[in-house]
Amino acid sequence: MGSVLSPHTPKSEWRAWARAARAELPDVSEPITATLRDLLTTLGARRVLAYRALSGEPDVSALERDFELLAPRARFRPEPRLTLHLWHTATEVSRFGALQPPQDAPQVPLGTVDAILLPGLAFDHAGVRLGYGGGFYDRLLPAFLGVTVGVIQAALLVPELPRDPHDCPAQWLVTERGAREVQ
């Protein structure tokens, strides 16, 4: 399921390609979660910002048994940003269709997080993430000092994506085929 797009193709076309490709892929959540469990344990992570999966994304919720998972909430005022909350508080559906914590859920400071699992439509071999276009992780990651892990199906791992100056590449990539550190 290779892409014929180039790094000079607009992100909107990459997003359309990735959504169409992802719609044809089988669920690979179990092998991805097993690899994540091993990697996060090896890295010594305890508190992990995960994500509540959208349709087609690998579901990482089984990691809750082994780690203290946090769930993000997208906020739009006064500026767009993610806030972090205890995993179990994600009980309402966001405008994007994923479970999120309610507006008044207690927040957890970013500085207490060991690792962030990054969802995306695609990643490239350099760890660059193709997100959904809201820029929420782009605003969060510059202040993060821990480990970042891109979580993606192997078919959506491409040689090179368009890259903006504000992009913060993932340090690790995990697919159903295993984990690899980005060089």
Side-chain angles (χ1 to χ4, degrees), residues 84-142:
L84 317 183
H85 309 269
L86 296 177
W87 186 255
H88 72 273
T89 66
T91 57
E92 69 180 39
V93 179
S94 73
R95 68 170 67 173
F96 306 110
L99 286 178
Q100 71 176 1
Q103 181 78 20
D104 62 350
Q107 294 184 31
V108 175
L110 181 63
T112 67
V113 176
D114 299 314
I116 295 178
L117 305 183
L118 298 167
L121 288 164
F123 279 85
D124 71 16
H125 295 292
V128 174
R129 174 182 171 268
L130 178 68
Y132 295 89
F136 291 97
Y137 284 99
D138 294 329
R139 291 179 190 88
L140 180 73
L141 293 176

Side-chain angles (χ1 to χ4, degrees), residues 6 8 16 22 40 42 52 69 118 126 134 137 148 152:
S6 84
H8 305 291
R22 186 166 76 181
L40 293 169
T42 299
R52 294 292 189 152
L69 294 188
L118 298 167
Y137 284 99
T148 55
I152 196 71

Side-chain angles (χ1 to χ4, degrees), residues 3-162:
S3 164
V4 296
L5 302 177
S6 84
H8 305 291
T9 302
K11 286 185 178 183
S12 60
E13 290 182 38
W14 273 102
R15 288 185 181 102
W17 169 82
R19 282 187 174 99
R22 186 166 76 181
E24 303 296 320
L25 297 175
D27 182 7
V28 292
S29 299
E30 283 189 38
I32 284 178
T33 299
T35 299
L36 284 168
R37 185 176 291 111
D38 292 345
L39 175 64
L40 293 169
T41 299
T42 299
L43 295 173
R46 292 178 310 282
R47 182 176 264 184
V48 179
L49 175 61
Y51 59 88
R52 294 292 189 152
L54 293 170
S55 179
E57 286 181 336
D59 182 353
V60 299
S61 61
L63 294 171
E64 182 182 21
R65 294 189 300 267
D66 303 289
F67 303 93
E68 181 185 356
L69 294 188
L70 303 175
R73 178 184 173 92
R75 297 185 187 262
F76 298 89
R77 290 190 180 88
E79 72 280 332
R81 70 196 187 286
L82 289 178
T83 53
L84 317 183
H85 309 269
L86 296 177
W87 186 255
H88 72 273
T89 66
T91 57
E92 69 180 39
V93 179
S94 73
R95 68 170 67 173
F96 306 110
L99 286 178
Q100 71 176 1
Q103 181 78 20
D104 62 350
Q107 294 184 31
V108 175
L110 181 63
T112 67
V113 176
D114 299 314
I116 295 178
L117 305 183
L118 298 167
L121 288 164
F123 279 85
D124 71 16
H125 295 292
V128 174
R129 174 182 171 268
L130 178 68
Y132 295 89
F136 291 97
Y137 284 99
D138 294 329
R139 291 179 190 88
L140 180 73
L141 293 176
F144 182 60
L145 302 176
V147 177
T148 55
V149 181
V151 180
I152 196 71
Q153 297 93 328
L156 298 172
L157 183 58
V158 300
E160 188 176 3
L161 286 167

